[in-house]
Structures are given as structure tokens and as C-alpha cells.
């Protein structure tokens, strides 16, 4: 850390007293000006890209069959982190990413939505000012700060044009924001916000508008302050449902997935091994019991389900194209060499909200009122609308399993690597020597903030604008950037989403699935889904150093290890404000109440 950065940070925490002289006249006085806030010398520009609901092996950059040439270029000239983790669902991931602290610790155990929050410290959805964001820290250390895309951590009742705005992006350190505040939005008719007001969308795809705005922010800033670094948080709604994209993109994949999801899993595992992003001895887990074998489907089902994934693939490739526009702009303006770029490929595992048969028109597809045969018949009638602006498309469960290869389970399953294991790309030409290198060190989204500060040469502030700060909980990954053999420094990490939970400690992991989960509520009336007891949940135990994708349960072989990890989970839960445990039953049966009397909110996104 530079001496200037250290001196400046101390000045921020303890503003100097006025050092001039104030006399009765100007002639008797001596002017004094406080030091101008500047970033450390040669501090990098920072671009933090967070994609939404992707799956570990959807993009070609990590072995998938969906073309992502921009991500490939960044990874081939940067680093692939293969052991990086999220929280298993969007809002907790985003709160942890921006603050460098665990999600329950910053009050976002679930969502800031009315129905998804609760009146407890770890659940109220209100990030405290004592847990400042990376944007606040960088802003106060001489950066301009911008955000475009999905924010997802503003409480519902504060998300109108009347505010208050202290929990909008502009209240959390971002000088400008263009995007949406909720968990999901339509790609052509988004619930769009510009700074502190809702605005009308212009009819173009949201990703294009976001990229235009990001380039505009940077271009304007560099014209007026060319030597000042910027921080851009680029978080498109892609590839979250609804999967909507022009047919120019989706039609590029026509016929490419006719062999189905079982073949996809086998092919991409071979690609992953070749790239080195999974161990060479990795094996596929068994097909999930909710997913049918592809060769057992009727020709009509195969045609329908393949089209779902053609659209998804086009959606992801289009998203990569928009990221490419941004990266190309940086290159053309001579900014690329001194820009640190992170790409977190998904804020959780692949989506299971598409259910076993996929979703086209969600308002009409209701399993409580329609049997599966009628549902499939309707979807076949609507096949040409998949991916269009008129549809609310999400692919079937089989494709979620395929894009999560080689892990089990998916989004929301905090007990499983399939819910939490996501790719990370780190690209910074100026300092990375091992271009195209693989990094297997354990990481988590809370590690991005301290990594950024260390690389930028900025000390962690004790206070932000007079408010004392909580301790940063993440571990900087900077030690691993030019040392592939370095031992992991992030030793302990807990996980919890709506009952499913896990604890990681130095290569070992214990976890418990919890029922009911999101899929159960798609297939039965809420009253028919029983409330399960947490004490009845079955805990599993895995040695991830030898079994990275959780195939061999060691709970019975090492009961003492499991007991120690369960004890550690309880300690972490107490420390991080995780209790009380809240699950999907509590949420879906409206057992959580809010002071404004409203519990109406859409499904978990």
C-alpha cells in the first residue's frame, strides 16, 4: 500500500482541524484548504461484472457449449478461479459482494422484498451504514463510481420515487445508477431507474441500454477527469428469467442441442477437464430424480425442450456480446491495461424455477390448476413465442442440471455446491503474469471487496463519513494472483438459504437439505406442503479436497467430524445474525408479517 494511500485514509477518518488563520480582515487572515481527495498513484480502474443465474458450465469460457468469446478472451489473458462461491441466491449474494461481509450480518438473509424479509437483525433487508459498500470506500478514496443493471437490495417500501434514497444505489456510494431495483424485470419493459427516479424504457433490449449507459458514464468522466480512476458495477439482469432475446441470437443455436441434456453433461465434462477447471478424475453425479432421461421424452417434448435451451444460449451469447462492447471500448480508449476486471459468472447456481417442463407464459402456467399433459400441450402451442418479448420464458429443470455440471442441485440449494459454486474471472493486464492461469484457492463473494482494496492500494477505513465500520469479513485473493500454488486463506464459510444450510472449513463441508424447497411449491397447493423440522434434516459430510463435487457422503464414516462442523455452523450462525431459521414454508404461508400490513410479493427470484 502506498504511503500516500495510507496517509489519505487516515485523513479521511480524522479530518484535520483548520490550519489557516482567521482574522477580522482578509489582510490579517491566512487561507488554508483541506487536501484534495485523490486515489493512490496509478490506482486501477475497476469493472465488477456480475451475471445473473448462469450455471457453472453454461459459458464456453468454463467448458460449456454456449459461445462466450468475450469471457474466453478475458479468461485466456487473465485467471480462471475454479473454487469461487456465492450464497446460492441473488440478494444475499449482492449484499455480501458489495459489503465484503456475510449476508445475514448485513441484514439480507433473504430478500429486501416485503414478503421475503422479517423483523429480525439478520432478516430485515436493510443494510446498515456501519457496513459500507465498496462503492462508498472507493468514492471516498478518489474514484468516480457508477452502477448499471440489477441492484436487488433496496427494500420494496423504499423503492418509489418518494424514497427515502439512502438504500438506493446512489445512497450506497454510487454517484450514478441506471437499471432496476428489484430481483428481476422484463428485458423489453423493465422497471427502469435513472439515478433517483423511475423512467420509461425506450423499447430496446435492456442489456443494450445498460451497456450504452456504462460507456457513456466512463466516456463523460474521462473527458473531464482523465487521470481519475472509476469503479463500474455492471450487473445485467441476464441471464435471469424471463429469457428474452432477438431471434438473430437464438436461431444461431437451432438444432445444436437436439441430443439433449444428458449428452450435454457428458460433452461439457470432457471440455472442463481439458480446460483444467475440474479435476481430471471428475465424474458426473447421478441424474436428479426430478429430471427425466432425455431419450425417454417424446419427440414433441424433445423439440420443445431443445427450443428452450436454444433461446437461453442465444441470451447468454448476446449478453457476452454486450460485455464485449464494454471491453472493446476500454481497449479503444487505451484504458484496458490499467483496468481490473472481475467477471462473476452468476450470483448462484442455475435456475430451478423453470420446473420440469419449462415456463413460457407464467401467468397461465399454474400446476395447481393444470395437469402435466395439458401443460405440455399448451407449451407446444406456444413454442414460437419462447424467448420473445411477449413471453416469460425459463428453461426446464434438466437444462439447469446440465449447466451446473458437474455439481448436484441448483439455485437456492445452499447446502450444495450446485447452488453456490460459480466461476470467477480476474483480468488485469498490468499485474497478471500467468495469463490463462487456473486458480483453485477457495473464495467467496465477500472476498472481492478486500481484494479490490489491496490491489488499489487503499486501506480499509475505520469509519465512512463519520460512521464507525464493522470489520470486513472477506479474505483478499490478491495473494493468489501470481502464485498458483499458494494455500487457500479463506478457511471458514457458512451458507443458509430458506432452510438449506452448510458449513465449510478448510476443505471439509457439512450440509443439510431442507424441505420444502421452491420446487415443492410449484407442484402442490401450499396447504399440502408439510412443515418439516430442522432437527429432522439429514446432514451430509464431504471432503472437498478429494471430492470437489460431493459424490461420496462421509457422514457415517466420520461422525466426530460432522459433529464438529455442525457446532461450527452454530457458532457462525450466532456470530452472523443468522437466527432465527426461516424457510420456504414460513414465506409461502405468509407466517412473516410486515408492519405495513402487506405480504404480497412475487415468487422468489
Amino acid at each position: 500500500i502506498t504511503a500516500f494511500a495510507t496517509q489519505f485514509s487516515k485523513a479521511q477518518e480524522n479530518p484535520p482541524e483548520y490550519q489557516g488563520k482567521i482574522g477580522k480582515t482578509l489582510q490579517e487572515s491566512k487561507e488554508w484548504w483541506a487536501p484534495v481527495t485523490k486515489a493512490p498513484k496509478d490506482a486501477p480502474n475497476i469493472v465488477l461484472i456480475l451475471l445473473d443465474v448462469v450455471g457453472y458450465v453454461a459459458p464456453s469460457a468454463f467448458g460449456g457449449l454456449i459461445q462466450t468469446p468475450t469471457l474466453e478472451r478475458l479468461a485466456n489473458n487473465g485467471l480462471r478461479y475454479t473454487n469461487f462461491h456465492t450464497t446460492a441466491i441473488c440478494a444475499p449474494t449482492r449484499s455480501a459482494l458489495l459489503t465484503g461481509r456475510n449476508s445475514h450480518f448485513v441484514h439480507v438473509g433473504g430478500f429486501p422484498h416485503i414478503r421475503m424479509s422479517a423483523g429480525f437483525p439478520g432478516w430485515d433487508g436493510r443494510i446498515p451504514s456501519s457496513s459500507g459498500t465498496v462503492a462508498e470506500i472507493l468514492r471516498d478514496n478518489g474514484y468516480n463510481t457508477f452502477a448499471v443493471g440489477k441492484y436487488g437490495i433496496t427494500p420494496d417500501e423504499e423503492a418509489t420515487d418518494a424514497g427515502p434514497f439512502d438504500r438506493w444505489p446512489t445512497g450506497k456510494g454510487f454517484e450514478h445508477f441506471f437499471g432496476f431495483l428489484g430481483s428481476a424485470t422484463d428485458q423489453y419493459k423493465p422497471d427502469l431507474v435513472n439515478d433517483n427516479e423511475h423512467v420509461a424504457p425506450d423499447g430496446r433490449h435492456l442489456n443494450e441500454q445498460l451497456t450504452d449507459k456504462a460507456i457513456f458514464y466512463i466516456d463523460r468522466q474521462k473527458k473531464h477527469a482523465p487521470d481519475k480512476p472509476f469503479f463500474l458495477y455492471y450487473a445485467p439482469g441476464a441471464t435471469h428469467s424471463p429469457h428474452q432475446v432477438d431471434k438473430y441470437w437464438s436461431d444461431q443455436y437451432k438444432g445444436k442441442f437436439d441430443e439433449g441434456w444428458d449428452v450435454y453433461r457428458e460433452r461439457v465434462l470432457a471440455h472442463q477437464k481439458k480446460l483444467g477447471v475440474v479435476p481430471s478424475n471428475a465424474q458426473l453425479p447421478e441424474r436428479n430424480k426430478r429430471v427425466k432421461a432425455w431419450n425417454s421424452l417424446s419427440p414433441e417434448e424433445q423439440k420443445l425442450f431443445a427450443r428452450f435451451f436454444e433461446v437461453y444460449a442465444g441470451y447468454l451469447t448476446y449478453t457476452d456480446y454486450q460485455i464485449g462492447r464494454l471491453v472493446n471500448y476500454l481497449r479503444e480508449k487505451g484504458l484496458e491495461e490499467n483496468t481490473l476486471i472481475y467477471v462473476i459468472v452468476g450470483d448462484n447456481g442455475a435456475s430451478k424455477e423453470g420446473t420440469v417442463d419449462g415456463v413460457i407464459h407464467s401467468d397461465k402456467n399454474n400446476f395447481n390448476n393444470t395437469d402435466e399433459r395439458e401443460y405440455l400441450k399448451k407449451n407446444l402451442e406456444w413454442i414460437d413465442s419462447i424467448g420473445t418479448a411477449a413471453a416469460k420464458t425459463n428453461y426446464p429443470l434438466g437444462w439447469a442440471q446440465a449447466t451446473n455440471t458437474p455439481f448436484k442441485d441448483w439455485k437456492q440449494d445452499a447446502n450444495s455446491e450446485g447452488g453456490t459454486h460459480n466461476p470467477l474471472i480476474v483480468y488485469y493486464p498490468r499485474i497478471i503474469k500467468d495469463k490463462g492461469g487456473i486458480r483453485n484457492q477457495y473464495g467467496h463473494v465477500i472476498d472481492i471487496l478486500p481484494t479490490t482494496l489491496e490491489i488499489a492500494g487503499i486501506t480499509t477505513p475505520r469509519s465512512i463519513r463519520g460512521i464507525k465500520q464493522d470489520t470486513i469479513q472477506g479474505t483478499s485473493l490478491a495473494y493468489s494472483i501470481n502464485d498458483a500454488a499458494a494455500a487457500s486463506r479463506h478457511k471458514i464459510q457458512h451458507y443458509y438459504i430458506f432452510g438449506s444450510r452448510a458449513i465449510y472449513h478448510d476443505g471439509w463441508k457439512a450440509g443439510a437439505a431442507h424441505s420444502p424447497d421452491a420446487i415443492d411449491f410449484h407442484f402442490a397447493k401450499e396447504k399440502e406442503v408439510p412443515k418439516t423440522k430442522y432437527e429432522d434434516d439429514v446432514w451430509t459430510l464431504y471432503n472437498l479436497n478429494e471430492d470437489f463435487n460431493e459424490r461420496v457422503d462421509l457422514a457415517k464414516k466420520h461422525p466426530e467430524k460432522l459433529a464438529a462442523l455442525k457446532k461450527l455452523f452454530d457458532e457462525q450462525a450466532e456470530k452472523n445474525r443468522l437466527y432465527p431459521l426461516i424457510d420456504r414454508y414460513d414465506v409461502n404461508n405468509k407466517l412473516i408479517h410486515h408492519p405495513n400490513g402487506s405480504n404480497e410479493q412475487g415468487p422468489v427470484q
Side-chain angles (χ1 to χ4, degrees):
I1 301 173
T2 66
F4 176 82
T6 303
Q7 181 180 4
F8 173 73
S9 294
K10 289 180 178 178
Q12 282 275 307
E13 294 161 15
N14 302 293
E17 293 183 4
Y18 184 72
Q19 297 175 26
K21 177 183 177 183
I22 301 175
K24 290 186 176 180
T25 66
L26 180 60
Q27 288 74 17
E28 297 172 335
S29 304
K30 181 182 179 181
E31 288 184 288
W32 180 83
W33 297 92
V36 176
T37 300
K38 290 184 179 180
K41 184 181 179 185
D42 297 326
N45 304 304
I46 299 162
V47 177
L48 173 54
I49 300 172
L50 176 63
L51 301 186
D52 200 354
V53 192
V54 178
Y56 189 78
V57 71
S60 58
F62 275 76
L65 303 184
I66 301 174
Q67 296 306 304
T68 52
T70 302
L71 298 192
E72 283 190 57
R73 178 186 174 275
L74 293 173
N76 291 340
N77 292 279
L79 300 171
R80 288 176 173 88
Y81 280 78
T82 68
N83 200 8
F84 189 75
H85 296 78
T86 59
T87 71
I89 207 165
C90 63
T93 289
R94 290 158 199 273
S95 65
L97 173 66
L98 292 177
T99 65
R101 302 163 177 95
N102 288 302
S103 57
H104 283 88
F105 188 84
V106 297
H107 298 215
V108 190
F111 286 80
H113 302 325
I114 294 170
R115 185 177 174 183
M116 303 295 173
S117 57
F120 305 101
W123 290 93
D124 63 25
R126 291 162 171 77
I127 297 175
S129 298
S130 58
S131 294
T133 69
V134 62
E136 291 178 282
I137 296 171
L138 293 175
R139 175 201 62 194
D140 289 352
N141 280 272
Y143 276 72
N144 282 128
T145 57
F146 321 120
V148 298
K150 174 174 171 176
Y151 192 60
I153 47 178
T154 298
D156 284 350
E157 60 273 27
E158 298 180 8
T160 73
D161 285 349
F165 301 107
D166 54 333
R167 292 188 179 90
W168 286 43
T170 52
K172 288 295 183 181
F174 292 104
E175 294 167 320
H176 290 289
F177 171 71
F178 182 79
F180 59 101
L181 300 177
S183 293
T185 197
D186 190 279
Q187 293 297 302
Y188 292 101
K189 300 182 291 292
D191 184 18
L192 200 57
V193 166
N194 186 44
D195 287 341
N196 281 8
E197 64 174 341
H198 287 79
V199 295
D202 64 12
R204 294 180 298 150
H205 196 285
L206 178 59
N207 278 15
E208 181 180 355
Q209 296 179 62
L210 297 177
T211 306
D212 285 352
K213 186 65 76 168
I215 291 172
F216 167 74
Y217 285 149
I218 299 169
D219 194 63
R220 182 175 62 178
Q221 186 249 13
K222 288 303 176 186
K223 285 178 179 176
H224 295 283
D227 297 327
K228 187 173 184 179
F230 66 83
F231 168 53
L232 170 67
Y233 178 41
Y234 181 97
T239 55
H240 197 293
S241 61
H243 301 162
Q244 296 168 319
V245 70
D246 191 277
K247 286 189 176 183
Y248 169 84
W249 298 96
S250 57
D251 283 356
Q252 294 178 22
Y253 289 95
K254 274 194 172 181
K256 297 292 180 65
F257 306 115
D258 289 353
E259 292 178 303
W261 45 62
D262 293 323
V263 170
Y264 185 99
R265 294 176 76 208
E266 295 170 357
R267 288 178 64 188
V268 299
L269 181 61
H271 290 184
Q272 289 175 308
K273 291 179 180 180
K274 186 176 181 180
L275 272 177
V277 297
V278 303
S280 60
N281 62 348
Q283 298 180 44
L284 290 176
E286 294 181 1
R287 185 191 308 109
N288 188 281
K289 63 183 180 180
R290 288 180 167 117
V291 176
K292 297 177 182 178
W294 184 264
N295 60 16
S296 73
L297 300 174
S298 68
E300 291 79 10
E301 289 175 308
Q302 291 182 352
K303 176 183 177 183
L304 174 67
F305 295 165
R307 185 55 186 164
F308 272 111
F309 202 59
E310 291 169 4
V311 166
Y312 178 77
Y315 189 27
L316 180 55
T317 296
Y318 171 69
T319 302
D320 179 89
Y321 167 77
Q322 293 297 339
I323 295 171
R325 288 182 57 215
L326 174 62
V327 175
N328 289 339
Y329 166 83
L330 296 174
R331 185 181 309 119
E332 291 166 2
K333 296 297 182 180
L335 301 171
E336 184 180 28
E337 183 70 17
N338 195 33
T339 298
L340 166 62
I341 300 176
Y342 302 99
V343 184
I344 302 174
V345 188
D347 52 357
N348 41 244
S351 170
K352 62 183 173 183
E353 287 93 356
T355 72
V356 295
D357 294 312
V359 172
I360 301 177
H361 297 294
S362 57
D363 56 332
K364 299 173 183 177
N365 291 345
N366 187 336
F367 272 107
N368 291 336
N369 299 320
T370 306
D371 65 29
E372 188 173 359
R373 287 174 298 180
E374 182 64 23
Y375 181 86
L376 283 167
K377 181 181 177 182
K378 284 291 185 185
N379 274 354
L380 282 165
E381 293 174 4
W382 294 327
I383 189 170
D384 289 337
S385 69
I386 293 175
T388 66
K392 302 296 182 184
T393 304
N394 199 356
Y395 56 42
L397 202 57
W399 290 118
Q401 179 173 255
T403 54
N404 259 4
T405 301
F407 303 113
K408 298 184 295 185
D409 303 322
W410 23 59
K411 175 181 174 180
Q412 299 188 39
D413 295 327
N415 59 293
S416 172
E417 293 293 290
T420 63
H421 203 125
N422 291 85
L424 168 67
I425 298 168
V426 177
Y427 176 80
Y428 187 11
R430 186 176 165 193
I431 68 169
I432 292 176
K433 300 174 183 178
D434 181 22
K435 298 187 187 306
I438 300 293
R439 296 294 181 268
N440 298 316
Q441 288 84 359
Y442 192 91
H444 188 271
V445 287
I446 61 175
D447 298 339
I448 296 298
L449 185 151
T451 304
T452 301
L453 298 188
E454 182 173 349
I455 293 174
I458 295 172
T459 56
T460 304
R462 291 193 295 265
S463 63
I464 293 178
R465 302 201 170 182
I467 298 175
K468 183 180 179 182
Q469 294 295 291
D470 301 315
T471 301
I472 299 294
Q473 295 176 317
T475 301
S476 172
L477 291 168
Y479 71 92
S480 65
I481 286 179
N482 287 315
D483 188 355
S488 294
R489 296 183 183 179
H490 191 137
K491 299 292 187 181
I492 298 174
Q493 185 59 50
H494 71 281
Y495 298 88
Y496 183 92
I497 297 295
F498 294 127
S500 64
R501 54 209 187 274
I503 181 73
Y504 168 88
H505 182 216
D506 203 15
W508 286 84
K509 179 181 172 185
H514 184 74
S515 185
D517 73 9
I519 297 179
D520 295 322
F521 282 101
H522 280 291
F523 288 95
K525 295 181 184 300
E526 291 178 356
K527 294 179 180 178
E528 296 173 356
V529 180
K531 170 72 170 178
T532 60
K533 296 181 179 179
Y534 294 102
E535 58 266 30
D536 293 337
D537 292 339
V538 177
W539 283 76
T540 55
L541 176 68
Y542 298 101
N543 181 349
L544 297 185
N545 291 327
E546 300 175 359
D547 179 26
F548 84 110
N549 63 338
E550 302 174 310
R551 296 182 67 250
V552 182
D553 183 5
L554 301 174
K556 292 182 179 179
K557 186 175 181 179
H558 298 293
E560 71 292 339
K561 186 70 172 179
L562 177 60
L565 285 173
K566 290 171 69 175
K567 182 175 183 292
L568 181 60
F569 175 84
D570 187 65
E571 292 171 357
Q572 290 295 305
E574 291 281 1
K575 176 182 177 181
N576 286 279
R577 306 167 179 158
L578 194 153
Y579 293 132
L581 304 180
I582 295 174
D583 64 16
R584 286 297 305 242
Y585 183 93
D586 300 324
V587 170
N588 282 270
N589 286 280
K590 300 181 178 65
L591 301 183
I592 297 173
H593 302 284
H594 195 273
N596 72 1
S598 173
N599 285 301
E600 294 308 314
Q601 180 65 38
V604 167
Q605 300 291 344

